[in-house]
Amino acid sequence: MGTCKRCGEKMTGERNCSYCGNSYCPEHQLPEKHDCSGVKNWDTEGERFDSGFDGSE
Ligand SMILES: [Zn+2]
Ligand SMILES: [Zn+2]
């Protein structure tokens, strides 16, 4: 059992982010939902942190 590193929600089972290795609830499991430290180089093209892009699904 673990807790989401982002919101602290308790979870059954383990869902570790495959990029940073931390556990997150389903809601925060996606790297972009928890400011994943393992994917900083995703966004090297520009230093924009606008949320104009939201098409992960
Ligand atoms: Zn969470
Ligand atoms: Zn992560």
Side-chain angles (χ1 to χ4, degrees):
M1 190 142 110
T3 50
C4 174
K5 277 236 169 195
R6 181 74 176 189
C7 67
E9 185 172 324
K10 293 193 174 94
M11 303 172 290
T12 45
E14 294 192 12
R15 286 173 173 270
N16 290 352
C17 174
S18 42
Y19 298 98
C20 64
N22 293 320
S23 314
Y24 296 97
C25 70
E27 205 174 317
H28 296 113
Q29 192 190 12
L30 291 176
E32 64 214 57
K33 298 290 186 187
H34 63 255
D35 294 324
C36 186
S37 56
V39 293
K40 278 182 181 167
N41 32 3
W42 276 18
D43 210 41
T44 49
E45 248 180 72
E47 296 185 334
R48 294 184 177 185
F49 288 89
D50 276 30
S51 53
F53 184 76
D54 191 21
S56 59
E57 288 180 302

